[in-house]
Amino acid sequence: MPDSQKEPDSQAPLTILIAADTYPPHINGAAQFGYRLAKGMKGRGHNVHVLACRQDKGLSYTEFRDEATVHRLRSHKVPTHEYFRICFPWEIKKEISLLFDKVQPDVVHIQSHYMIGEHVLYEAVKRGIRVVATNHFMPENLNPFMPFPQWFKDIIGRISWKDMGKVMGKADVVTTPTPLAAKAMHQHAFLRKVLPLSNGIDSAAYELQPGEVLEPNPAPTVVFAGRLAEEKHVDVLIDAVAKTPAELNVHLQIVGGGEVRPALEAQVERLGLKDRVTFLGLASDAELREVYIKADLFCMPGTAELQSLVTLEAMSASTPVVLADAMALPHLVNDGENGYLFRPNDSGDLAEKISRVLSLPAEDRAMMGKASRSMVEPHSIDGVLQKFEDLYRGASYDDIQV
């Protein structure tokens, strides 16, 4: 990977440009990480700018938000996705160049190799500005939104991996949230060095505060939180709830919105679960925190998770977990200690694991929850922000302990 021609001062506040192809109000882990990164770096005294697409038609504009100065680029709707938008290179390349002239960043941090991230990286390299590149995506994440046969999706996936290597190979440092994702990038994108660096979590935010009392749920409750998309396999979780023993009276709360919600609601109706499955829709941070704390069990049935921030959040609230044995999720389970893994897409196995946890005495479930909480400690957001700041100031791969 190239050495930058210019390295930021080791003490002075930095001007940081974060390039994010997905950013709030988008609801997904990558968007949430971009927001937390911007907020955290501003809190550390840096001058933070974010470059992202705008959410509707119109020209590019700048908005001043609490976490950063956010520059919104003109964009276009993707017909197969409820909110994702794309930027055309011929419309944004000149605007990106002008933004560099205006902002004069010391360091650039791209969040993907697509569209905005790609062209921001090229502009930074051209100007000799240090680049940190973080990958939050697997090509498989795009499959549900491409109306093509699987063989053609596989070709697109290989092209996407190759493009990732071409683009991110020009960065000074490449990171991704988990060792598993780093290994995949080695194998498929042929990137020689990838630093596994957690997205980070403010685990203390999910603890009960002194004097705080929350009424427990009236029945044993499993929680899912996330985008309601095909690769999350929430339908498998609903089927599993239907297969749990009637005497357990297992309830399910589903937090989030997305393109498959109508199909999931129809499934709940068909299975006669309307009195046990609740769709809570999009929730504020405060509302989601309460859901996590009151949950008896958190389940993530998704099979394309690079880290799963929502799982880390639930674990921070001392909640046992049952997770699909897929992608990065196995890193978040010590089987039998803080929960269990289940065979992906196997609703029978999931039902058995849910029943196993919810059949335990309350004190045993509490011990599982404490084990979840202790496993989150290495993902401290303060530690993650410090490591990224060190990378911004010129630290190498070998300088960062993971």
Side-chain angles (χ1 to χ4, degrees), residues 66-95:
D66 290 342
E67 79 277 12
T69 301
V70 180
H71 309 275
R72 299 282 187 177
L73 291 169
R74 69 180 83 181
S75 65
H76 304 272
K77 182 173 175 55
V78 175
T80 57
H81 196 285
E82 65 171 344
Y83 65 70
F84 199 72
R85 299 179 70 87
I86 60 172
C87 299
F88 295 147
W90 56 89
E91 290 181 340
I92 65 172
K93 287 173 70 173
K94 181 63 175 177
E95 292 186 344

Side-chain angles (χ1 to χ4, degrees), residues 153-394:
K153 291 180 182 180
D154 292 341
I155 293 173
I156 294 173
R158 288 194 291 272
I159 293 171
S160 184
W161 278 118
K162 184 178 179 181
D163 196 45
M164 181 191 297
K166 181 188 76 171
V167 174
M168 291 193 166
K170 297 180 183 297
D172 295 277
V173 178
V174 180
T175 80
T176 195
T178 63
L180 186 72
K183 182 179 179 181
M185 292 166 71
H186 284 304
Q187 291 176 336
H188 302 296
F190 306 108
L191 287 162
R192 188 169 61 89
K193 287 189 175 182
V194 180
L195 184 68
L197 188 52
S198 173
N199 284 335
I201 183 78
D202 182 7
S203 54
Y206 300 93
E207 297 173 343
L208 277 173
Q209 300 305 300
E212 182 181 12
V213 177
L214 294 176
E215 287 296 320
N217 290 310
T221 301
V222 181
V223 166
F224 166 86
R227 188 167 49 85
L228 302 185
E230 185 180 317
E231 74 271 18
K232 300 295 185 182
H233 301 294
V234 183
D235 59 322
V236 177
L237 175 55
I238 293 171
D239 280 342
V241 168
K243 293 176 180 179
T244 57
E247 61 270 20
L248 280 181
N249 191 28
V250 175
H251 282 55
L252 171 63
Q253 293 180 344
I254 298 172
V255 182
E259 60 275 5
V260 301
R261 177 168 174 171
L264 297 177
E265 290 175 329
Q267 179 186 5
V268 168
E269 178 83 35
R270 186 173 66 252
L271 293 173
L273 294 175
K274 287 191 69 176
D275 60 335
R276 291 201 283 143
V277 178
T278 305
F279 289 87
L280 298 178
L282 300 178
S284 67
D285 288 344
E287 291 167 336
L288 186 55
R289 171 185 176 273
E290 183 171 329
V291 169
Y292 288 143
I293 292 173
K294 293 172 66 173
D296 297 286
L297 178 66
F298 180 84
C299 180
M300 172 51 70
T303 54
E305 302 296 306
L306 269 187
Q307 183 169 42
S308 187
L309 277 175
V310 290
T311 302
L312 289 175
E313 290 169 352
M315 292 169 67
S316 296
S318 298
T319 307
V321 296
V322 172
L323 311 177
D325 189 4
M327 290 299 291
L329 294 176
H331 293 278
L332 301 179
V333 174
N334 287 331
D335 224 40
E337 293 183 22
N338 73 313
Y340 295 97
L341 295 171
F342 75 94
R343 290 187 294 274
N345 297 310
D346 187 335
S347 60
D349 189 41
L350 177 53
E352 193 276 325
K353 299 296 169 51
I354 290 172
S355 301
R356 191 184 302 182
V357 174
L358 296 183
S359 297
L360 291 171
E363 57 270 23
D364 290 350
R365 289 204 308 272
M367 288 297 294
M368 275 192 161
K370 288 180 181 178
S372 278
R373 181 65 176 77
S374 66
M375 288 179 66
V376 174
E377 292 303 324
H379 299 277
S380 160
I381 187 65
D382 290 335
V384 169
L385 291 173
Q386 182 60 59
K387 289 171 183 175
F388 275 116
E389 183 174 331
D390 291 344
L391 291 173
Y392 295 165
R393 294 192 186 278

Side-chain angles (χ1 to χ4, degrees), residues 91-110:
E91 290 181 340
I92 65 172
K93 287 173 70 173
K94 181 63 175 177
E95 292 186 344
I96 288 172
S97 178
L98 291 172
L99 183 66
F100 270 77
D101 291 340
K102 179 180 178 181
V103 172
Q104 295 288 307
D106 296 305
V107 63
V108 162
H109 190 169
I110 70 169

